[in-house]
Amino acid sequence: MPAMRAAAIKPVPTMLMVLLLFVTQACTDIFLPGLPQIARDFNSSIDVASLTISVYNVCQAAVVLFIGVVSDVRGRRPTILLCFGLHIGATIAIALCASMAVMIALRAVQALGSAAVYIVLRMVIKDTLDKPAQIHATGLLMIGLVLSPILAPLVGSWIVHWSNWRYCFWALCVLDLPLFIWAWVAIGETNLRRAELRASFSWASHARNYGAVLAEPYFRAMALLVGAAFAAFYAFISISSFMFIHQFGLRETTYGYVFMALALSYLAGNRLMSALNGRQLAPRRIIGLGLLVSVAGAVCVLMAPLLPSTMAVVAAIVLGTCLLRLATALIIPPAQVDVTDHFTQHGAHALGLLTCMQYGFAALGTMVVSNLWFAPSTNFLISTVLFVALSALGYLALTARRSH
């Protein structure tokens, strides 16, 4: 079967897939150094400006529930090209927009494109490659996910420093347009079972499968654990530019290097997770370690206001956030494995719903931290304690269920 599939379908260039994933994910981070500028330009408060992040996350959460199915019944090529085209159009329109409301609406369209690329590329890999090649290609694809949070905020910080936030989106357009042309030429239809899948598909059955997963207390506990851990980090993303640039007076370029430290922390956590997995440590043991790291990060953030100088406070917050980011690498991948193993009949639906809940919690973290009425650093402290506590509650629910 793999040999017949490879002969019938032309594989998509791996470099194209890596770059597509990079540029669509970069729109999450590249404009963050300019978020205070955006709020000032549109005369908006922190909570309104942060909707550019939370609405994006909510739409991503919704799209991951159905976009894979759409590509099953309508085809991979039209799905990814249409969604990426809409993503590019939204990016151009954001660079030109004249109001915060319009920008927020366009961010929702951007999320459609980035979520579609994220999901459908994995399905293209599954369609065109045998299992060992799939693992290799997926590993290469992760390069785009790893490089984006390192390079995008760093590049964005320099763009904002020397010009303004709109040029962050123009920079994305410069990358997006040639990639769209390449994708149009290089991506053929890889789903040869489209007619069969369309004939057997039912939206009602699709919804019932999600309902069956959500009905399990195990899944709700795992979703709370994973979602709250992700929310603790995303609260930082949404408030960080106001906290570091406005409250603590850091330059935009210095702020960009904070995200490099966060990305390197995630890489370190990923390597640690792989090493522990290689030693046959159970997924839930790795998740428990990740939770302890989250607690350590929350302690660092809690201690920050007690320190004597601004730079010491900044260092403690950065260290705490790096630990929160490292913890997500220890929590999320093992949780995904545990969930798919638990739901033997509905593993794909369980993983899709867990991803949806993860991004939904990210939006919740953004809204909580930006709607508190204290200084940005205090808002972040409160949200960190809240979401780490919720994550611990999810873990306790898991362990209590297991003991019964």
Side-chain angles (χ1 to χ4, degrees):
M1 178 65 181
M4 292 173 59
R5 179 170 56 194
I9 308 170
K10 180 182 176 183
V12 177
T14 303
M15 181 56 71
L16 171 60
M17 293 193 289
V18 170
L19 291 174
L20 282 172
L21 195 58
F22 174 83
V23 297
T24 51
Q25 295 302 309
C27 73
T28 306
D29 305 310
I30 193 170
F31 76 102
L32 291 179
L35 203 54
Q37 270 191 13
I38 294 170
R40 185 172 63 249
D41 285 358
F42 293 137
N43 195 27
S44 299
S45 58
I46 293 177
D47 58 320
V48 174
S50 294
L51 287 173
T52 58
I53 301 170
S54 56
V55 167
Y56 181 91
N57 284 325
V58 167
C59 291
Q60 273 199 318
V63 170
V64 297
L65 290 178
F66 66 82
I67 199 66
V69 172
V70 170
S71 77
D72 278 346
V73 300
R74 296 298 178 186
R76 314 286 191 234
R77 174 181 164 83
T79 301
I80 199 167
L81 289 178
L82 175 61
C83 292
F84 187 38
L86 290 171
H87 176 93
I88 295 170
T91 302
I92 294 171
I94 288 172
L96 297 170
C97 72
S99 77
M100 180 64 79
V102 171
M103 182 177 182
I104 291 168
L106 291 169
R107 286 285 288 165
V109 181
Q110 269 194 324
L112 168 64
S114 60
V117 168
Y118 181 82
I119 297 296
V120 177
L121 282 183
R122 281 159 173 73
M123 304 184 82
V124 167
I125 288 173
K126 185 178 179 182
D127 291 339
T128 57
L129 301 173
D130 58 29
K131 195 153 191 177
Q134 286 179 36
I135 294 171
H136 178 67
T138 302
L140 292 175
L141 208 60
M142 291 301 294
I143 294 172
L145 283 177
V146 170
L147 288 180
S148 178
I150 295 175
L151 296 179
L154 192 58
V155 171
S157 67
W158 283 99
I159 291 173
V160 170
H161 181 71
W162 291 109
S163 55
N164 64 63
W165 63 270
R166 294 181 188 273
Y167 285 94
C168 294
F169 293 96
W170 286 122
L172 290 175
C173 291
V174 170
L175 297 173
D176 284 342
L177 291 171
L179 284 176
F180 182 81
I181 296 170
W182 190 6
W184 184 278
V185 173
I187 298 179
E189 183 51 60
T190 64
N191 180 14
L192 301 184
R193 299 176 58 235
R194 167 163 95 257
E196 174 191 342
L197 291 169
R198 186 183 305 150
S200 62
F201 176 73
S202 161
W203 282 110
S205 175
H206 190 60
R208 280 196 299 272
N209 290 336
Y210 280 128
V213 171
L214 191 58
E216 283 226 22
Y218 159 83
F219 179 82
R220 295 196 296 272
M222 188 65 85
L224 179 61
L225 165 62
V226 170
F230 202 58
F233 173 67
Y234 249 86
F236 171 82
I237 286 180
S238 63
I239 202 70
S240 59
S241 56
F242 296 99
M243 179 168 59
F244 287 135
I245 297 172
H246 272 194
Q247 183 180 348
F248 296 133
L250 267 64
R251 294 175 60 182
E252 292 91 349
T253 49
T254 305
Y255 168 75
Y257 289 108
V258 171
F259 277 83
M260 182 178 289
L262 294 174
L264 293 174
S265 298
Y266 182 82
L267 285 175
N270 191 265
R271 292 294 299 271
L272 176 59
M273 183 272 298
S274 298
L276 294 172
N277 182 59
R279 294 182 181 183
Q280 306 299 312
L281 197 67
R284 293 195 195 181
R285 295 282 300 279
I286 301 175
I287 291 168
L289 177 61
L291 181 60
L292 289 176
V293 174
S294 287
V295 171
V299 170
C300 288
V301 174
L302 271 171
M303 289 176 58
L306 305 177
L307 298 176
S309 69
T310 298
M311 289 312 298
V313 171
V314 168
I317 291 173
V318 171
L319 175 59
T321 310
C322 284
L323 290 173
L324 293 174
R325 187 57 172 146
L326 191 153
T328 61
L330 293 171
I331 292 172
I332 294 174
Q336 291 173 340
V337 171
D338 202 67
V339 163
T340 52
D341 284 348
H342 181 85
F343 293 96
T344 53
Q345 297 298 316
H346 303 302
H349 286 86
L351 186 57
L353 191 57
L354 185 67
T355 304
C356 169
M357 299 288 279
Q358 177 182 322
Y359 282 107
F361 266 93
L364 179 63
T366 297
M367 289 186 283
V368 167
V369 77
S370 58
N371 279 279
L372 294 172
W373 52 89
F374 306 107
S377 60
T378 306
N379 289 2
F380 177 56
L381 186 154
I382 294 169
S383 67
T384 298
V385 172
L386 170 65
F387 287 112
V388 170
L390 287 174
S391 190
L393 186 63
Y395 187 76
L396 289 174
L398 270 181
T399 54
R401 182 185 178 279
R402 191 175 183 182
S403 64
H404 287 85

